[in-house]
Amino acid sequence: MELHAQILSPLFSILENIGPVSNELKKALSDKFEEQKILKGKTLLSEGEVCKSLWFLSAGLLRSYHDIGEKEITSRIMFTNHIVISAGSFFTQTPATESIEVLADTTVARLSFSDLQDIYKSFPSFNYHTRIITEQYFAQQEQRLYMLRKHDALSKYRYFLEHYAAFLQDIPQKYIASFLDMTPETLSRTRSRMRNK
Amino acid sequence: MELHAQILSPLFSILENIGPVSNELKKALSDKFEEQKILKGKTLLSEGEVCKSLWFLSAGLLRSYHDIGEKEITSRIMFTNHIVISAGSFFTQTPATESIEVLADTTVARLSFSDLQDIYKSFPSFNYHTRIITEQYFAQQEQRLYMLRKHDALSKYRYFLEHYAAFLQDIPQKYIASFLDMTPETLSRTRSRMRNK
DNA sequence: TTACTTTATTGATTTATGTCAAGAGCTTCC
DNA sequence: GGAAGCTCTTGACATAAATCAATAAAGTAA
């Protein structure tokens, strides 16, 4: 799908907050990113596939999850202005151990791994921006790991409310529960206890 | 302390596996890294301090942990050839939320944050190497998060044996337990169950 | 609308792990 | 070398959360 110029402007802002972005680089990114609209319920990436693209999430809602026999573990919930990849798979171009599912109608800008490599070749300075971005995501992930380990059901749900309140309506509770590493029953009881003060 | 040339050679190997490293860059790194020997029991970084250095762990054993009231959560266990920082603190030069402790007499090569920034300025291509390294650590961290969430006490201990067997003797069990998100009692019972088949 | 399916709630029960406690076995350090 | 700490083990018990189960409610499709 043809790329609308404004879809990348939040991404350019992110990059420019890190360091100067030449017009040539912007042009190259605009040329290679392509817009994609995906309906709720669709799958962006399936376990076992290689994650061949990076997505910049312009609007919508995604979740990534691992299949464990009958169960699922929701690993991340991603929304507007997130850069989305299945890291282990994308970085090394090996099969993914997780799937990515679309929770609400979504618009992304898609960049293929090989186009990204070409951009790195043509614009070595782009490594600087992505190093910083990777560092930021790394630090966030560390925080989340800590949160999951430290807290009980109630405080994990409070954490969710702080960070994801806006999406409460759009995310089925069973996925929230799994994201917070608890069963849907436990989440339901936690919510009910919160209501009754 | 004066830096012995060979202390950085494993680091140079890591970098060269990623991409070419000019002699000038090697020289700059050798000039700025300095050797440090730290005895078991000492603290490399304390919660609340800014993590002003990056350490390349040449020999020895470290653990990072969060203090929670009376308790501790061991977040990482680090050994030879690890690049060690408290990520959230180092990247943004803000106070650390974790401490780093020396579990066995340790030799590190230390590089200050500001020297690292100077190196980035003089050798922009170094961003490429560190982007790749950050990506690798990111993917590893993701795996570990998944492991902690998926498994029960027994399989978490098996995971530890696979990945850290060499250090079993050197790490007090209470830290292993905390690293695996369980109490020392649970770890002790898990080990005993494994012994009795 | 009505049927059909999925999701959320609530209750009863089980279970893995945590907590508390006491003793054994190592360290270590005056 | 013995006292004083730690750490690890083992037992008894407590507990948060998981599991199982039965409705109720909410979506979805026909």
Side-chain angles (χ1 to χ4, degrees):
Chain A
M1 190 190 281
E2 197 195 335
L3 184 109
H4 294 88
Q6 71 274 20
I7 206 178
L8 286 184
S9 76
L11 178 60
F12 290 159
S13 297
I14 291 170
L15 296 174
E16 278 166 338
N17 276 331
I18 293 170
V21 182
S22 68
N23 287 329
E24 290 73 20
L25 175 52
K26 281 189 196 169
K27 169 99 172 48
L29 289 168
S30 300
D31 285 348
K32 295 300 186 181
F33 265 104
E34 58 179 48
E35 189 172 338
Q36 214 176 342
K37 292 192 187 273
I38 313 159
L39 295 180
K40 178 176 171 176
K42 294 284 178 192
T43 296
L44 204 55
L45 176 75
S46 296
E47 189 182 330
E49 269 179 50
V50 172
C51 180
K52 293 206 190 67
S53 303
L54 170 157
W55 299 277
F56 178 70
L57 219 174
S58 177
L61 197 59
L62 303 176
R63 78 171 182 118
S64 61
Y65 64 94
H66 295 263
D67 257 310
I68 319 262
E70 321 235 310
K71 292 184 194 167
E72 287 180 355
I73 292 182
T74 295
S75 40
R76 277 162 295 138
I77 292 175
M78 296 151 286
F79 46 85
T80 304
N81 292 346
H82 274 225
I83 293 165
V84 176
I85 52 171
S86 188
S89 173
F90 184 77
F91 292 146
T92 58
Q93 292 292 288
T94 51
T97 58
E98 61 178 11
S99 304
I100 300 178
E101 184 194 36
V102 177
L103 293 183
D105 294 356
T106 285
T107 304
V108 293
R110 196 182 75 78
L111 177 67
S112 76
F113 180 82
S114 65
D115 283 342
L116 175 60
Q117 304 315 308
D118 292 344
I119 287 172
Y120 280 133
K121 283 208 186 76
S122 312
F123 303 89
S125 73
F126 191 50
N127 281 289
Y128 170 68
H129 298 88
T130 55
R131 168 175 71 81
I132 301 286
I133 289 171
T134 310
E135 287 176 358
Q136 290 170 351
Y137 277 78
F138 185 92
Q140 276 172 34
Q141 199 188 27
E142 209 164 72
Q143 268 196 310
R144 186 167 120 69
L145 173 55
Y146 173 61
M147 181 280 299
L148 280 181
R149 295 187 63 186
K150 183 186 176 188
H151 297 299
D152 62 3
L154 180 61
S155 45
K156 286 191 288 186
Y157 183 58
R158 287 219 188 90
Y159 166 89
F160 179 83
L161 288 180
E162 270 175 42
H163 294 264
Y164 297 85
F167 308 99
L168 198 55
Q169 322 305 333
D170 299 318
I171 309 171
Q173 270 180 223
K174 58 175 185 168
Y175 298 147
I176 298 175
S178 165
F179 179 65
L180 297 176
D181 213 8
M182 62 182 79
T183 59
E185 291 93 333
T186 296
L187 177 59
S188 174
R189 279 186 256 264
T190 300
R191 284 161 54 88
S192 133
R193 262 177 237 124
M194 264 182 77
R195 262 181 260 120
N196 309 329
K197 219 177 107 42
Chain B
M1 187 188 284
E2 196 195 336
L3 185 110
H4 294 89
Q6 72 274 20
I7 206 179
L8 286 184
S9 76
L11 179 61
F12 290 160
S13 297
I14 291 170
L15 295 174
E16 279 166 338
N17 275 332
I18 294 169
V21 183
S22 69
N23 286 329
E24 290 74 21
L25 174 54
K26 281 188 195 169
K27 169 101 172 47
L29 289 168
S30 301
D31 285 348
K32 296 300 187 180
F33 265 104
E34 60 179 47
E35 190 172 337
Q36 213 176 344
K37 292 193 188 272
I38 313 160
L39 296 178
K40 177 176 170 176
K42 295 283 178 192
T43 297
L44 203 57
L45 176 75
S46 296
E47 189 183 330
E49 268 179 51
V50 173
C51 180
K52 293 205 188 70
S53 303
L54 169 158
W55 299 277
F56 178 69
L57 220 175
S58 179
L61 197 59
L62 304 175
R63 81 172 179 114
S64 60
Y65 63 95
H66 295 263
D67 256 309
I68 319 263
E70 321 236 309
K71 291 185 195 167
E72 287 180 355
I73 292 182
T74 294
S75 40
R76 276 161 296 137
I77 291 175
M78 296 151 285
F79 45 85
T80 304
N81 292 345
H82 273 226
I83 294 165
V84 176
I85 51 170
S86 187
S89 173
F90 184 78
F91 292 146
T92 59
Q93 291 292 287
T94 52
T97 58
E98 63 178 10
S99 303
I100 300 179
E101 185 194 33
V102 177
L103 292 183
D105 293 357
T106 286
T107 304
V108 294
R110 196 182 76 78
L111 177 67
S112 76
F113 180 82
S114 64
D115 284 343
L116 175 59
Q117 304 315 308
D118 292 345
I119 288 173
Y120 281 134
K121 282 207 188 79
S122 311
F123 303 90
S125 72
F126 191 50
N127 281 289
Y128 170 68
H129 298 89
T130 55
R131 168 176 69 82
I132 300 285
I133 288 171
T134 310
E135 287 177 359
Q136 290 170 351
Y137 276 78
F138 185 91
Q140 276 172 32
Q141 199 190 28
E142 209 163 74
Q143 267 196 311
R144 186 166 120 69
L145 174 55
Y146 174 60
M147 182 280 298
L148 280 181
R149 295 187 63 186
K150 181 187 175 189
H151 296 299
D152 60 5
L154 180 61
S155 44
K156 285 191 288 189
Y157 183 58
R158 287 219 186 90
Y159 166 89
F160 179 83
L161 289 180
E162 270 174 43
H163 293 264
Y164 297 85
F167 309 97
L168 197 54
Q169 321 305 332
D170 299 319
I171 308 172
Q173 269 181 222
K174 59 175 185 168
Y175 298 147
I176 298 175
S178 167
F179 178 66
L180 297 176
D181 212 7
M182 62 181 81
T183 59
E185 291 93 333
T186 297
L187 177 58
S188 175
R189 280 186 255 263
T190 300
R191 283 161 55 86
S192 134
R193 261 176 238 124
M194 264 182 79
R195 262 180 262 120
N196 309 329
K197 217 180 105 41

